[in-house]
């Protein structure tokens, strides 16, 4: 499935957001909080990963 530039930028933005959120928690120095944030982010990614694929677009012929 080809990815257009807008979709690709969305993927990169999601990854950047994950990193920024983890960095924010890591700045506190609380490793338990970092582990908790990582677990939460992992669940968020898995939720996106295991979503049903989008319905096919109706093509006019």
């Amino acid at each position: 499935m080809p990815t257009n530039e807008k979709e690709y930028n969305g993927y990169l933005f999601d990854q950047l957001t994950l990193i920024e959120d983890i960095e924010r928690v890591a700045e506190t120095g609380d490793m338990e909080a970092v582990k908790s944030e990582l677990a939460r982010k992992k669940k968020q990614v898995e939720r996106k990963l295991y979503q049903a694929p989008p319905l096919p677009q109706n093509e006019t012929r």
Side-chain angles (χ1 to χ4, degrees):
M1 174 184 316
T3 302
N4 65 35
E5 186 176 350
K6 186 175 181 179
E7 284 179 301
Y8 187 68
N9 284 340
Y11 300 145
L12 293 175
F13 184 73
D14 287 345
Q15 291 174 354
L16 183 58
T17 300
L18 287 170
I19 292 168
E20 290 171 345
D21 290 347
I22 294 167
E23 284 177 334
R24 179 184 44 80
V25 175
E27 288 174 355
T28 67
D30 182 355
M31 290 313 294
E32 289 304 314
V34 172
K35 290 177 184 177
S36 176
E37 183 71 8
L38 285 168
R40 189 170 73 84
K41 294 298 178 183
K42 182 178 179 182
K43 286 180 183 177
Q44 290 175 344
V45 169
E46 287 173 345
R47 191 168 48 243
K48 289 180 181 180
L49 182 64
Y50 297 120
Q51 283 181 354
L55 296 174
Q57 298 292 328
N58 288 336
E59 295 182 21
T60 57
R61 293 181 184 201

